[in-house]
Amino acid sequence: MTKRDYYEVLGVEKNAGKEQFKIAYRKLAMKFHPDKNPDDSEAEEKFKEASEAYEVLTDETKKAQYDRYGHEGLRGAAGGRGAGFTNVEDIFSHFGDIFGSSNSGSMFDDIFGGGQRGGRRRTSGERGGDIKIKLALTLEEVAHGASKTLKLKKNVTCNTCSGSGAKAGSGMNTCSVCNGAGEVRQVSRSVFGQFVNVQVCHNCNGAGQIIKEKCEPCRGEGRVHSEEEIKFDIPAGVEEGNYLPLQGKGHAGKRGGSSGDLIIVMDIKEHDYLERDGNDVIYEHTISFPEACLGCLIEVPTLFGTETIEIPSGTQPGTEFKLSGKGIPNLNSYGTGNQIIIVNIYVPKKLNTDEKKMLKNIISNDNFDPKGKNKNGGFFEKVRGAFF
């Protein structure tokens, strides 16, 4: 099967930088990650293909070989499909979480609750479910960042049994089916050789132990339904649809199992006056015709308070003014967007007699007639005079 071009795989141009490669790869990796697409061989292949492309294009030596010789130039090198990816978490363990934090583990640990692709880890219980919520944010909170506190109703660890599910003093028995292994193995033979099928023990659900006597408050689950207060920070610059995974803040697991994650999806409220355009914000302000002619001072709202700007005389409809640094900060990088003020000019729909008379006197002046400059010997007047 012919390999696809690495730049085509990531959907980037050849002159793209490492940051663009990273962004493109992150989107593909999150879309096709095997933990999000179980038993989907096509998604797994696309994930491996994207990982291979990212590994090569972010390594200066491999990229130079690939740019010069194509896939043939990588034969025998460490990169490429031939090298394999036995533990896909190793490829991007330096990414940090979705917002680029480097102190909270792998991006995929945060999103998928920790990678276990190198082999099943036996735990004392069953992992808790994830919780996904939408968080409404104002545009001001997006510009400044925000500290939030949520009260969530969810499964929490039972205080009576400390999550074990066992009644005090009752203890646990080793599972008789798996002998404490938490898994059972079935060996089958065929003409191709011997195959071993490993499955979670159905009797103890992988715990390896059976509760002698169940805790009454949690009925042996090791968790109860309650409310928990969770505090967290939203960084400045987030966009609609961005999500922040809080590891271990989801539902508590059964009988001491690890907790799920809390996935907070950003939902940006519509602003009364401002409209976001990337990291810039747009504000439209309407002035009168006399103000446009004479010039004026206007007060405009921004995400950082109000600002007074000067509108010079002769300003035309649609003229744009810029307030530098009054937009949205870049997420995970330096710099801030701007605020763009678009000036519109109000035209009244109805006029009284005096107003009409006044405007007729004004329009007779060439300075207020857009065609006035052509009345006295303009190009078209000269052409007209030549033939008539």
Side-chain angles (χ1 to χ4, degrees):
M1 178 174 158
T2 304
K3 277 189 172 186
R4 287 203 298 157
D5 178 74
Y6 286 147
Y7 296 98
E8 178 187 342
V9 170
L10 295 184
V12 294
E13 299 293 333
K14 280 194 173 184
N15 59 355
K18 285 189 177 181
E19 186 62 24
Q20 291 172 284
F21 293 146
K22 178 178 176 180
I23 293 172
Y25 171 61
R26 184 184 299 186
K27 290 179 181 179
L28 292 171
M30 286 192 291
K31 181 178 180 181
F32 296 115
H33 193 283
D35 286 351
K36 291 189 70 176
N37 302 274
D39 302 321
D40 187 341
S41 58
E42 184 178 352
E44 186 173 353
E45 280 302 309
K46 288 183 178 180
F47 175 79
K48 291 179 180 178
E49 184 181 47
S51 299
E52 178 184 331
Y54 176 75
E55 184 195 29
V56 171
L57 297 182
T58 53
D59 184 297
E60 292 183 1
T61 302
K62 295 176 186 175
K63 183 177 183 297
Q65 288 179 311
Y66 176 74
D67 287 344
R68 189 170 183 180
Y69 304 108
H71 291 292
E72 291 296 323
L74 298 173
R75 289 189 180 276
R81 186 72 54 87
F85 298 106
T86 57
N87 186 354
V88 294
E89 302 299 333
D90 291 341
I91 302 168
F92 34 74
S93 59
H94 60 285
F95 274 4
D97 62 21
I98 190 118
F99 292 128
S101 171
S102 61
N103 57 9
S104 53
S106 161
M107 173 180 72
F108 290 92
D109 283 348
D110 285 341
I111 295 173
F112 301 107
Q116 297 184 17
R117 303 193 58 78
R120 182 182 168 276
R121 295 178 187 171
R122 187 186 132 197
T123 63
S124 58
E126 181 181 320
R127 182 182 184 272
D130 294 336
I131 300 174
K132 185 177 181 180
I133 63 169
K134 278 192 173 184
L135 179 66
L137 295 173
T138 65
L139 207 54
E140 284 80 4
E141 288 175 320
V142 170
H144 296 275
S147 295
K148 292 289 185 179
T149 300
L150 291 178
K151 287 187 177 181
L152 290 181
K153 291 183 177 180
K154 62 173 189 171
N155 294 326
V156 300
T157 301
C158 175
N159 289 327
T160 304
C161 64
S162 299
S164 69
K167 188 175 181 179
S170 68
M172 311 283 282
N173 286 330
T174 300
C175 176
S176 59
V177 175
C178 65
N179 293 320
E183 59 188 22
V184 291
R185 297 170 176 253
Q186 295 178 336
V187 180
S188 59
R189 298 179 181 278
S190 71
V191 293
F192 299 104
Q194 178 176 290
F195 293 89
V196 179
N197 182 30
V198 181
Q199 293 181 326
V200 175
C201 177
H202 66 277
N203 189 47
C204 64
N205 291 321
Q209 295 178 315
I210 302 293
I211 297 172
K212 289 182 180 179
E213 192 173 353
K214 293 181 180 180
C215 170
E216 291 182 6
C218 66
R219 299 178 182 179
E221 283 203 356
R223 62 184 185 178
V224 294
H225 198 66
S226 185
E227 187 176 73
E228 183 180 0
E229 186 175 271
I230 299 172
K231 296 181 179 181
F232 56 93
D233 293 327
I234 299 296
V238 296
E239 297 183 28
E240 179 79 21
N242 280 162
Y243 59 96
L244 174 66
L246 299 180
Q247 191 172 11
K249 296 298 183 180
H251 290 296
K254 288 184 179 181
R255 294 184 296 279
S258 61
S259 296
D261 299 334
L262 173 60
I263 312 297
I264 302 171
V265 183
M266 307 303 151
D267 183 19
I268 313 301
K269 295 179 182 178
E270 188 173 318
H271 198 276
D272 291 338
Y273 309 108
L274 305 175
E275 180 181 349
R276 182 174 183 174
D277 181 18
N279 286 329
D280 293 335
V281 290
I282 310 298
Y283 174 70
E284 294 195 23
H285 187 92
T286 301
I287 61 176
S288 67
F289 173 68
E291 287 176 320
C293 293
L294 301 173
C296 62
L297 294 176
I298 63 172
E299 194 173 73
V300 300
T302 77
L303 296 173
F304 305 88
T306 57
E307 291 277 344
T308 300
I309 64 173
E310 181 179 357
I311 304 298
S313 61
T315 293
Q316 302 298 305
T319 300
E320 296 184 0
F321 298 87
K322 181 173 71 174
L323 292 176
S324 298
K326 296 296 183 180
I328 307 292
N330 291 319
L331 183 64
N332 292 334
S333 61
Y334 298 104
T336 303
N338 306 309
Q339 177 162 327
I340 308 300
I341 296 101
I342 302 174
V343 173
N344 299 315
I345 297 177
Y346 173 71
V347 178
K349 294 182 179 180
K350 293 183 179 181
L351 299 172
N352 59 35
T353 302
D354 291 338
E355 290 168 340
K356 289 179 180 178
K357 184 178 179 180
M358 178 181 63
L359 288 177
K360 285 180 180 178
N361 290 333
I362 292 176
I363 202 171
S364 64
N365 190 318
D366 286 353
N367 197 38
F368 287 90
D369 184 358
K371 298 180 181 179
K373 59 186 177 181
N374 294 324
K375 284 185 176 180
N376 300 316
F379 174 77
F380 291 105
E381 289 295 323
K382 291 180 180 178
V383 171
R384 183 180 178 186
F387 289 95
F388 299 99

